[in-house]
Amino acid sequence: MTTVARYTSAAQHALEQDRLWPRVWWLAGHHDRLREEGDTLVASMGRAAILIVNDGGTLRAFHNVCPHRGHPLCAADTGRVKQLICPYHRWRFALDGRCEAIPDEASFSSGARERATLGAVRVAVRAGLVWVCLNQQAPSIDTFLGPVLDWLGGYGLDDWALDSEVTVPLAANWKASTDVHNEAYHLHALHPEAMPLVDDTGAEVDLDGWHARIRVPMGRSSGRLGGDGVHPRLKAFLEAQGVRADDADDTRDAYLEALRRDAKPAWSKLSDSQLVDNHMVYVFPNVQLNLHRDHAMVFRHRPEGPRRCSFDQLNLIRDRKGPLPAPRTTTADDPIIGPVTTADLRTAEALQRGYESGGLASLTLSRQEAIIEHMHRGLDGFFDTATTGPAQPQK
Ligand code: FES
Ligand SMILES: [Fe+2]
């Protein structure tokens, strides 16, 4: 049973702080932030703040904490440095974590500099994204990601570019924010304007390991619309792509055929469904990749307390013209978020108000919302095991 307390209680939040975030691989950011020697990225999740640095082409990760007295080593979220210098007393560290200089070193006991080497945190790049794990015993990133790399394979995300990155503070638990992107059941209610172009009733959900995927057919109207003939909005959309919608037995098939006919080389590894449809890949516990053939959005939901989270949106494209923009904090109605996601974020906050009201004890979930239940079983695998490896949820 998925209780509302999972979204509201301080005890649940504490369990996550103790047993989830310190033991799971989590998304730190996009590789574009760390392409050059000396690039730094500070990423936070739960209690942890992790500093990742490009040391001669090798990514290294450390807690962003000075071993002297605990001041954050890097104040900025992103930057480029030659060395790491703590601003409080200017202890100086090489990019590989060795402490190189301590002002007035003789006033410390001997060996202080050697003992101050920064401890390494596990870091890996997959699908153009940088992942970290604070636990040395956790499975490898590839074991953890399991089916995800196959699901992402055809897109070639390693070579995609980060086009923009924004953070929206939300008055919602991170799981409420995650849930609204883990089901297509709400499309007809929250995004009715999409129904002529998107067949939510044909959406397919796959659960595998900790993770999941939703494939939503595009180029075909929602089965909820009914009616004869091709919807005028779909017809106009397809004709703009050179598809004669009225002649088609199946508009999605005709759209796919047209895309294959004029295919770009970059699409050669995409499956038919990846080429034409919208794939939403859920990476446990708090990331989704919302994928289209030439652009993608990465959603990340970071806990800021039982009732608050940070929603991050990373917009990816195949090629970026111009420099990489700095990350910025904004509001849910910023046009860069897009109207569909704006509605989703408002819904996450509305859900949280419902959960806080005391009027509901547990959620009622359909098969279309199976990922929500799957996420909670995955969380249980972490909560129920304090020291052994977390169990994967059963399908
Ligand atoms: S706390 Fe970093 S140098 Fe003192
Ligand atoms: Fe939505």
Side-chain angles (χ1 to χ4, degrees):
M1 188 166 64
T2 301
T3 62
V4 163
R6 286 174 166 260
Y7 296 82
T8 58
S9 86
Q12 168 87 17
H13 180 68
L15 261 182
E16 292 166 359
Q17 296 279 28
D18 292 342
R19 297 194 177 178
L20 175 66
W21 304 115
R23 298 164 70 209
V24 72
W25 284 92
W26 51 262
L27 174 63
H30 194 271
H31 194 194
D32 274 2
R33 298 260 176 236
L34 292 159
R35 295 275 186 204
E36 304 294 330
E37 165 90 16
D39 277 355
T40 60
L41 173 70
V42 176
S44 61
M45 192 68 73
R47 282 190 282 255
I50 301 300
L51 163 64
I52 305 154
V53 59
N54 180 327
D55 173 25
T58 301
L59 292 195
R60 303 190 190 279
F62 313 103
H63 285 275
N64 187 31
V65 175
C66 177
H68 174 219
R69 293 260 303 282
H71 196 282
L73 277 172
C74 262
D77 290 345
T78 62
R80 186 168 298 164
V81 299
K82 289 203 167 14
Q83 296 158 321
L84 302 167
I85 302 176
C86 177
Y88 192 12
H89 310 92
R90 295 189 69 79
W91 284 29
R92 190 154 48 79
F93 302 84
L95 301 185
D96 65 3
R98 277 177 303 110
C99 182
E100 288 189 324
I102 296 179
D104 303 336
E105 186 175 349
S107 69
F108 288 88
S109 60
S110 68
R113 185 150 49 86
E114 289 70 23
R115 285 194 299 276
T117 298
L118 305 176
V121 168
R122 296 168 78 187
V123 58
V125 179
R126 295 290 183 279
L129 301 170
V130 181
W131 308 84
V132 296
C133 181
L134 307 186
N135 187 311
Q136 299 297 336
Q137 279 76 50
S140 71
I141 182 69
D142 294 316
T143 302
F144 170 70
L145 288 177
V148 168
L149 294 177
D150 276 346
W151 290 340
L152 301 178
Y155 296 93
L157 292 173
D158 287 313
D159 301 322
W160 287 36
L162 177 61
D163 194 40
S164 57
E165 179 173 3
V166 291
T167 294
V168 180
L170 289 181
N173 183 278
W174 68 272
K175 298 183 294 298
S177 182
T178 300
D179 288 354
V180 293
H181 303 278
N182 269 345
E183 45 94 357
Y185 175 43
H186 69 265
L187 184 126
H188 67 104
L190 233 51
H191 319 298
E193 70 285 356
M195 290 169 73
L197 308 185
V198 179
D199 182 13
D200 53 325
T201 57
E204 291 184 55
V205 176
D206 306 302
L207 307 176
D208 196 336
W210 280 284
H211 316 290
R213 172 177 66 167
I214 310 177
R215 288 170 289 168
V216 189
M218 307 273 290
R220 183 192 294 150
S221 295
S222 169
R224 298 179 202 278
L225 285 179
D228 290 331
V230 179
H231 190 284
R233 273 201 52 220
L234 178 60
K235 188 172 168 190
F237 170 80
L238 291 174
E239 287 183 355
Q241 321 275 328
V243 180
R244 291 170 55 89
D246 284 334
D247 299 344
D249 291 335
D250 183 305
T251 50
R252 176 181 170 277
D253 289 351
Y255 183 28
L256 175 61
E257 224 170 84
L259 289 169
R260 282 280 179 228
R261 214 168 29 236
D262 299 324
K264 298 185 200 171
W267 298 345
S268 62
K269 292 199 171 69
L270 294 176
S271 69
D272 284 352
S273 178
Q274 287 174 330
L275 182 62
V276 71
D277 298 330
N278 172 213
H279 285 205
M280 184 73 108
V281 170
Y282 166 60
V283 184
F284 178 87
N286 66 333
V287 168
Q288 287 112 356
L289 291 98
N290 184 350
L291 298 147
H292 299 266
R293 58 186 167 273
D294 283 329
H295 73 279
M297 289 160 279
V298 180
F299 301 148
R300 178 178 57 178
H301 317 265
R302 286 180 292 133
E304 304 287 1
R307 297 171 171 80
R308 289 183 303 117
C309 70
S310 291
F311 168 82
D312 306 301
Q313 180 170 327
L314 286 68
N315 293 313
L316 310 183
I317 52 175
R318 287 187 180 271
D319 295 298
R320 184 186 66 244
K321 315 261 183 286
L324 176 59
R328 62 184 175 86
T329 299
T330 187
T331 54
D333 51 8
D334 188 318
I336 202 165
I337 298 284
V340 171
T341 305
T342 296
D344 292 333
L345 299 185
R346 293 289 178 233
T347 299
E349 293 187 317
L351 286 175
Q352 191 69 31
R353 290 194 295 276
Y355 297 160
E356 303 289 346
S357 73
L360 183 70
S362 62
L363 314 188
T364 303
L365 297 169
S366 67
R367 272 197 303 279
Q368 298 177 71
E369 299 155 295
I371 303 175
I372 295 174
E373 184 69 28
H374 192 68
M375 174 189 73
H376 286 288
R377 296 294 77 79
L379 292 173
D380 288 344
F382 279 80
F383 300 156
D384 296 347
T385 54
T387 52
T388 58
Q392 291 193 24
Q394 301 300 308
K395 278 183 215 175

